[in-house]
Short mmCIF file of all heavy atoms in Angstrom, two decimals:
data_model
loop_
_atom_site.label_atom_id
_atom_site.label_comp_id
_atom_site.label_asym_id
_atom_site.label_seq_id
_atom_site.Cartn_x
_atom_site.Cartn_y
_atom_site.Cartn_z
N PRO A 21 8.39 22.93 -18.87
CA PRO A 21 8.99 23.63 -20.00
C PRO A 21 8.07 23.76 -21.24
O PRO A 21 8.35 24.55 -22.09
CB PRO A 21 10.17 22.74 -20.34
CG PRO A 21 10.39 21.92 -19.15
CD PRO A 21 9.11 21.79 -18.48
N VAL A 22 6.95 23.09 -21.27
CA VAL A 22 6.08 23.11 -22.41
C VAL A 22 4.97 24.12 -22.27
O VAL A 22 3.98 24.12 -22.93
CB VAL A 22 5.46 21.71 -22.64
CG1 VAL A 22 4.87 21.62 -24.03
CG2 VAL A 22 6.50 20.62 -22.42
N TYR A 23 5.12 25.03 -21.26
CA TYR A 23 4.07 25.98 -20.99
C TYR A 23 4.07 27.11 -22.07
O TYR A 23 4.60 28.15 -21.95
CB TYR A 23 4.33 26.63 -19.57
CG TYR A 23 3.28 27.50 -19.05
CD1 TYR A 23 2.02 27.00 -18.86
CD2 TYR A 23 3.46 28.85 -18.90
CE1 TYR A 23 1.03 27.79 -18.39
CE2 TYR A 23 2.50 29.69 -18.46
CZ TYR A 23 1.26 29.18 -18.17
OH TYR A 23 0.24 29.91 -17.72
N ALA A 24 3.46 26.75 -23.22
CA ALA A 24 3.52 27.65 -24.41
C ALA A 24 2.37 28.65 -24.47
O ALA A 24 2.39 29.47 -25.31
CB ALA A 24 3.48 26.75 -25.65
N HIS A 25 1.41 28.57 -23.60
CA HIS A 25 0.29 29.45 -23.73
C HIS A 25 0.15 30.47 -22.60
O HIS A 25 -0.91 30.87 -22.18
CB HIS A 25 -1.01 28.63 -23.83
CG HIS A 25 -1.12 27.99 -25.15
ND1 HIS A 25 -1.26 28.70 -26.32
CD2 HIS A 25 -1.14 26.70 -25.47
CE1 HIS A 25 -1.37 27.86 -27.35
NE2 HIS A 25 -1.28 26.65 -26.88
N LYS A 26 1.29 30.99 -22.15
CA LYS A 26 1.29 32.06 -21.17
C LYS A 26 0.86 33.32 -21.95
O LYS A 26 1.41 33.64 -23.04
CB LYS A 26 2.68 32.23 -20.61
CG LYS A 26 2.77 33.37 -19.65
CD LYS A 26 4.26 33.46 -19.13
CE LYS A 26 4.41 34.66 -18.22
NZ LYS A 26 5.78 34.81 -17.80
N MET A 27 -0.14 33.98 -21.42
CA MET A 27 -0.66 35.17 -22.07
C MET A 27 0.17 36.43 -21.60
O MET A 27 0.47 36.56 -20.44
CB MET A 27 -2.12 35.40 -21.77
CG MET A 27 -2.72 36.59 -22.39
SD MET A 27 -4.46 36.83 -21.95
CE MET A 27 -5.20 35.74 -23.17
N MET A 28 0.50 37.30 -22.58
CA MET A 28 1.27 38.48 -22.28
C MET A 28 0.68 39.70 -22.97
O MET A 28 0.06 39.58 -24.01
CB MET A 28 2.69 38.29 -22.77
CG MET A 28 3.45 37.17 -22.13
SD MET A 28 5.01 36.89 -22.90
CE MET A 28 4.56 36.23 -24.44
N ILE A 29 0.78 40.87 -22.33
CA ILE A 29 0.38 42.10 -22.92
C ILE A 29 1.67 42.86 -23.28
O ILE A 29 2.49 43.10 -22.37
CB ILE A 29 -0.48 42.94 -21.97
CG1 ILE A 29 -1.76 42.18 -21.61
CG2 ILE A 29 -0.81 44.31 -22.56
CD1 ILE A 29 -2.58 42.86 -20.50
N GLU A 30 1.80 43.21 -24.56
CA GLU A 30 3.00 43.94 -24.95
C GLU A 30 2.62 45.28 -25.50
O GLU A 30 1.77 45.38 -26.38
CB GLU A 30 3.69 43.16 -26.08
CG GLU A 30 4.32 41.86 -25.66
CD GLU A 30 5.04 41.12 -26.80
OE1 GLU A 30 4.91 41.56 -27.95
OE2 GLU A 30 5.68 40.15 -26.47
N PRO A 31 3.20 46.37 -24.92
CA PRO A 31 2.91 47.69 -25.48
C PRO A 31 3.54 47.85 -26.82
O PRO A 31 4.70 47.47 -27.03
CB PRO A 31 3.53 48.63 -24.44
CG PRO A 31 4.57 47.81 -23.71
CD PRO A 31 4.10 46.41 -23.79
N VAL A 32 2.78 48.35 -27.81
CA VAL A 32 3.30 48.51 -29.16
C VAL A 32 3.68 50.01 -29.39
O VAL A 32 4.77 50.29 -29.78
CB VAL A 32 2.21 48.08 -30.18
CG1 VAL A 32 2.68 48.33 -31.59
CG2 VAL A 32 1.84 46.65 -29.98
#
Side-chain angles (χ1 to χ4, degrees):
V22 198
Y23 189 64
H25 287 295
K26 177 180 178 183
M27 181 182 276
M28 298 174 288
I29 300 174
E30 294 182 350
V32 177

